[in-house]
Amino acid sequence: MRLAAIAFVLACGLAGCAAPPRRPAPPTAINDAVPPGFPASVRLVTTDLAGFTRRAPLFFTGIRDAAVGGHVDILSLSGGGSEGAFGAGVLVGLTRAHARPRFDLVTGVSAGALIAPFAFLGSRWDGALQNAFTTDHSALLGRSPLWRFLRRLVVPLGREHDDPLFDMVNHYVTPELVAAVARASEKGRRLVIATTDLDSEETVLWDMGVIAEHGGEAARALFRDVLVASASVPGAFPPVMIRVQQGRRVYDEMHVDGSVTTSLFAFPLVAGLGRVDLPPLHGGELYLIVNSPLARLPKTTPVSTVAVLARSFSAGMTYKTRESIIDTINLTSRLGMGFRMTAIPADFPTTSVVDFSAGFMRSLFDYGERCAVGGRIWLKPDQTLRRGIGPDASRSALDTPCPGAPRIAAR
């Protein structure tokens, strides 16, 4: 604590303990404000029922028309920090097994947002996806908590170019990637990413194809900033300021990790209302990759404030994810869609969502890839929570049963 206090005093002297100036946020949560030069269709607040009802027919009809044979395949990618290596491995494994659909709609949150563009573009981008989640470039995100704490004191909020997460995403969001997303979007396929607008405390869904179709450096910069924002865990990485305009008024919005408000999504929150129907999706299939366990093996919690807060946060995120899964299962059933899901088994020897060491991420990537290649990755609705909540005894990464494999009794 003494070291932290000294660091705080020194940092205040260096940085003035003052955040950079920003414009006010828009005065209402649901509004017509958009980044300058972009159309209104670039984003949707997930609670905007009127906006969703107005846009949904064209949006989902376009997806159906782009789908092979009219059969819509949707992929939803959850958050999970470093555990996103699991989802990356699953996708590469599905490619190797010749069992990977061409997804017509891909959605992503947090770590899932970083996977989503590669998942959307298909197997040609597997090399970049694997590099992003298994090399030392990703390990840059794993600097010590003390370093991150000191850095937040010294580096003013909004200085994204000083952030290793920004640097990593900026490296992979190339003009070629953005152009490829634009071409897919022009055919009706959709890539949607969630961020949390801290000013309104709402989930914002961004149509990355609409951003990409805008073209030029403005499109690449906004595409990158949305991905960075979606994965910017508060306190570990700085928030992303996104400038928006409504009429002649210009505002600044503060966006952070999408999983602050939603751990996963396939549709806007209001799509769960009983009166909303989406006929173009009938007969389609929804694939859900959960980049985290749905339960943790019990362990004794130390009597300390930090430990209690950490375990409480973990428990809250786990239950929020379970609730989102059940809501998604219910909605897909009502829409006449099939549902398949996978998640990291509770007995896989994970460490933490902030373990970005190349060794841990590679082991999780290899596990997801191995299970997908073996055809043992997907669970049906009635298997999802049963497989995840009843963990077997602790195992190594090599002998942990795949999510879709029969459970082996604890030894």
Side-chain angles (χ1 to χ4, degrees), residues 165-187:
L165 174 62
F166 178 93
D167 292 341
M168 189 191 83
V169 176
N170 191 53
H171 172 78
Y172 285 102
V173 177
T174 62
E176 292 76 19
L177 182 143
V178 175
V181 171
R183 290 192 295 271
S185 177
E186 288 167 356
K187 296 176 182 178

Side-chain angles (χ1 to χ4, degrees), residues 114-136:
L114 303 184
I115 301 170
F118 303 115
F120 180 72
L121 293 176
S123 58
R124 259 193 348 111
W125 294 80
D126 280 359
L129 174 61
Q130 182 167 343
N131 287 339
F133 280 89
T134 62
T135 66
D136 288 340

Side-chain angles (χ1 to χ4, degrees), residues 221-274:
L222 182 58
F223 195 105
R224 173 202 64 209
D225 289 350
V226 169
L227 292 181
V228 173
S230 185
S232 288
V233 179
F237 303 108
V240 176
M241 304 301 296
I242 296 180
R243 186 148 294 168
V244 297
Q245 185 170 355
Q246 184 173 22
R248 296 184 178 180
R249 297 294 302 273
V250 178
Y251 306 96
D252 284 343
E253 294 176 343
M254 181 181 288
H255 288 258
V256 298
D257 193 337
S259 63
V260 168
T261 49
T262 182
S263 55
L264 59 92
F265 74 100
F267 311 101
L269 183 64
V270 292
L273 297 177

Side-chain angles (χ1 to χ4, degrees), residues 33-331:
V34 292
F38 289 86
S41 58
V42 75
R43 64 182 193 167
L44 178 75
V45 176
T46 195
T47 52
D48 183 359
L49 178 58
F52 174 71
T53 302
R54 184 172 63 252
R55 300 182 196 180
L58 181 62
F59 183 90
F60 289 104
T61 298
I63 290 174
R64 181 199 59 197
D65 293 345
V68 177
H71 179 89
V72 175
D73 287 313
I74 298 175
L75 173 65
S76 178
L77 296 152
S78 84
S82 58
E83 292 174 343
F86 170 72
V90 169
L91 289 165
V92 173
L94 290 173
T95 296
R96 288 184 53 201
H98 306 288
R100 179 167 163 180
R102 190 199 75 164
F103 297 109
D104 308 297
L105 168 63
V106 176
T107 70
V109 181
S110 196
L114 303 184
I115 301 170
F118 303 115
F120 180 72
L121 293 176
S123 58
R124 259 193 348 111
W125 294 80
D126 280 359
L129 174 61
Q130 182 167 343
N131 287 339
F133 280 89
T134 62
T135 66
D136 288 340
H137 192 74
S138 292
L140 289 173
L141 305 182
R143 297 176 182 175
S144 72
L146 177 60
W147 180 89
R148 290 199 301 269
F149 171 71
L150 295 176
R151 186 175 170 281
R152 287 286 68 75
L153 296 176
V154 176
V155 180
L157 296 178
R159 293 274 298 279
E160 291 89 351
H161 60 279
D162 291 317
D163 194 297
L165 174 62
F166 178 93
D167 292 341
M168 189 191 83
V169 176
N170 191 53
H171 172 78
Y172 285 102
V173 177
T174 62
E176 292 76 19
L177 182 143
V178 175
V181 171
R183 290 192 295 271
S185 177
E186 288 167 356
K187 296 176 182 178
R189 296 174 60 220
R190 290 289 176 259
L191 170 63
V192 182
I193 300 299
T195 65
T196 296
D197 179 352
L198 273 188
D199 297 315
S200 64
E201 300 183 4
E202 292 284 354
T203 304
V204 179
L205 307 182
W206 297 83
D207 190 325
M208 306 301 279
V210 171
I211 294 175
E213 288 185 56
H214 181 80
E217 179 57 22
R220 193 191 80 85
L222 182 58
F223 195 105
R224 173 202 64 209
D225 289 350
V226 169
L227 292 181
V228 173
S230 185
S232 288
V233 179
F237 303 108
V240 176
M241 304 301 296
I242 296 180
R243 186 148 294 168
V244 297
Q245 185 170 355
Q246 184 173 22
R248 296 184 178 180
R249 297 294 302 273
V250 178
Y251 306 96
D252 284 343
E253 294 176 343
M254 181 181 288
H255 288 258
V256 298
D257 193 337
S259 63
V260 168
T261 49
T262 182
S263 55
L264 59 92
F265 74 100
F267 311 101
L269 183 64
V270 292
L273 297 177
R275 57 182 172 175
V276 176
D277 192 18
L278 304 172
L281 300 183
H282 293 179
E285 194 84 17
L286 191 145
Y287 299 80
L288 174 60
I289 297 179
V290 180
N291 293 301
S292 64
L294 294 176
R296 305 274 179 180
L297 289 170
K299 60 182 179 180
T300 303
T301 304
V303 184
S304 75
T305 301
V306 172
V308 170
L309 288 175
R311 293 303 293 274
S312 298
F313 175 78
S314 176
M317 287 298 296
T318 298
Y319 266 82
K320 184 165 71 171
T321 301
R322 291 177 185 174
E323 290 169 352
S324 296
I325 291 169
I326 292 171
D327 288 344
T328 303
I329 291 172
N330 290 336
L331 181 57

Side-chain angles (χ1 to χ4, degrees), residues 356-370:
F356 288 95
S357 65
F360 169 68
M361 295 183 71
R362 183 77 213 201
S363 70
L364 199 46
F365 179 95
D366 289 346
Y367 172 76
E369 181 182 22
R370 171 170 59 84

